């Protein structure tokens, strides 16, 4: 009886001790580094660059206006100086709002890009999971520690490129 109980315990213990294949991946990065991601990102990058150039021009104009006001400060009447300073502050607030709006638009463009690429990336990841017989795949940013061998981001980029 003792041997029988020991055998059952050993079988239960052996079946519970299985190797778990775990990998980490930076899915977003893999999508953006892939060929289809690079191609799809061209238009959003151009839009962001245009918005950035427009913002820089507005900031340069504001700086020039501030320098002009500083230069003319002693020659302007107090009322005119206050008026121009208020206009300058209003312009500065508009530029801040413009910058915030542009950041929001850039983030939305990136989210749309990721969303459009996700199905292809998921298909490539699923095939990689099946091929490597992975039990668990974690987002790289959520893991505290992972060896380089457990990071499959580069493999995922190659698989996306191969499949598309």
């Amino acid at each position: 009886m003792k041997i029988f109980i020991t055998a059952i315990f050993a079988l239960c213990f052996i079946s519970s001790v299985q190797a778990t294949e775990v990998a980490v991946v930076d899915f977003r990065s893999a999508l953006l580094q892939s060929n289809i991601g690079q191609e799809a990102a061209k238009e959003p990058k151009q839009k962001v660059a245009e918005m950035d150039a427009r913002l820089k021009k507005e900031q340069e104009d504001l700086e020039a206006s501030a320098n002009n006001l500083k230069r003319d400060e002693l020659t302007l009447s107090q009322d005119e100086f206050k008026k121009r300073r208020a206009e300058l502050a209003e312009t500065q607030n508009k530029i801040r709002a413009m910058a915030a709006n542009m950041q929001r638009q850039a983030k939305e463009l990136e989210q749309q890009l990721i969303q459009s690429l996700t199905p292809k990336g998921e298909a490539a990841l699923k095939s990689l999971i099946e091929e490597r017989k992975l039990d668990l795949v974690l987002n790289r940013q959520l893991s505290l520690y992972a060896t380089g061998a457990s990071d499959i981001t580069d493999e995922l980029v190659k698989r996306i490129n191969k499949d598309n």
Side-chain angles (χ1 to χ4, degrees), residues 84-104:
R84 285 180 55 183
R85 191 170 62 187
E87 289 171 356
L88 200 60
E90 184 179 323
T91 303
Q92 189 174 28
N93 288 337
K94 286 180 183 178
I95 290 174
R96 284 187 187 133
M98 181 189 299
N101 186 38
M102 288 179 180
Q103 286 177 339
R104 182 187 51 76

Side-chain angles (χ1 to χ4, degrees), residues 128-140:
L128 195 57
I129 290 169
E130 290 170 3
E131 180 183 299
R132 290 191 55 178
K133 295 179 176 49
L134 297 171
D135 297 317
L136 179 65
V137 178
L138 299 171
N139 186 332
R140 184 168 60 190

Side-chain angles (χ1 to χ4, degrees), residues 52-66 91-92 95-96 98-99:
D52 191 44
R54 188 170 135 226
L55 180 63
K56 284 182 182 178
K57 176 156 181 8
E58 292 290 334
Q59 288 172 334
E60 288 170 359
D61 291 347
L62 176 66
E63 190 174 325
S65 295
T91 303
Q92 189 174 28
I95 290 174
R96 284 187 187 133
M98 181 189 299

Side-chain angles (χ1 to χ4, degrees), residues 3-110:
I3 296 173
F4 181 70
I5 293 174
T6 306
I8 291 176
F9 179 73
L11 285 174
C12 290
F13 181 73
I14 290 171
S15 66
S16 68
V17 179
Q18 295 179 7
T20 302
E21 292 295 321
V22 179
V24 294
V25 68
D26 186 342
F27 189 73
R28 179 187 161 281
S29 176
L31 289 176
L32 295 176
Q33 290 176 19
S34 69
N35 292 340
I36 59 170
Q38 293 291 316
E39 187 63 34
K42 285 181 181 177
E43 185 180 338
K45 281 182 181 179
Q46 182 181 359
K47 287 180 182 179
V48 169
E50 289 170 0
M51 289 188 294
D52 191 44
R54 188 170 135 226
L55 180 63
K56 284 182 182 178
K57 176 156 181 8
E58 292 290 334
Q59 288 172 334
E60 288 170 359
D61 291 347
L62 176 66
E63 190 174 325
S65 295
N67 289 337
N68 289 341
L69 180 60
K70 191 173 187 178
R71 181 192 68 217
D72 297 341
E73 180 178 4
L74 297 176
T75 60
L76 295 173
S77 69
Q78 194 171 18
D79 289 339
E80 182 65 25
F81 177 75
K82 285 181 182 179
K83 179 183 170 189
R84 285 180 55 183
R85 191 170 62 187
E87 289 171 356
L88 200 60
E90 184 179 323
T91 303
Q92 189 174 28
N93 288 337
K94 286 180 183 178
I95 290 174
R96 284 187 187 133
M98 181 189 299
N101 186 38
M102 288 179 180
Q103 286 177 339
R104 182 187 51 76
Q105 287 177 355
K107 191 170 186 168
E108 285 175 6
L109 287 170
E110 182 183 8

